[in-house]
């Protein structure tokens, strides 16, 4: 196997890792937004 093959595998793994980070970041932003929404609703919308 040559270096190009290993570089391709490395790029596939790197891309997958980046997708996981993006998904986790989105989930955390969504969670914080929902927490904020719940706090506002608990305060009567103020």
């Amino acid at each position: 196997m040559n270096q190009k093959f290993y570089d391709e595998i490395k790029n596939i793994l790197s891309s997958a890792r980046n997708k996981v980070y993006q998904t986790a970041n989105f989930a955390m932003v969504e969670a914080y937004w929902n927490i904020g929404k719940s706090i506002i609703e608990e305060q009567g919308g103020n």
Side-chain angles (χ1 to χ4, degrees), residues 12-46:
I12 291 168
L13 291 172
S14 180
S15 176
R17 198 174 293 122
N18 287 335
K19 287 178 185 178
V20 169
Y21 293 147
Q22 289 172 357
T23 301
N25 286 339
F26 177 79
M28 291 306 298
V29 168
E30 187 177 34
Y32 291 138
W33 188 87
N34 284 321
I35 290 168
K37 181 181 173 190
S38 295
I39 291 169
I40 296 296
E41 288 173 353
E42 186 67 22
Q43 293 174 343
N46 296 323

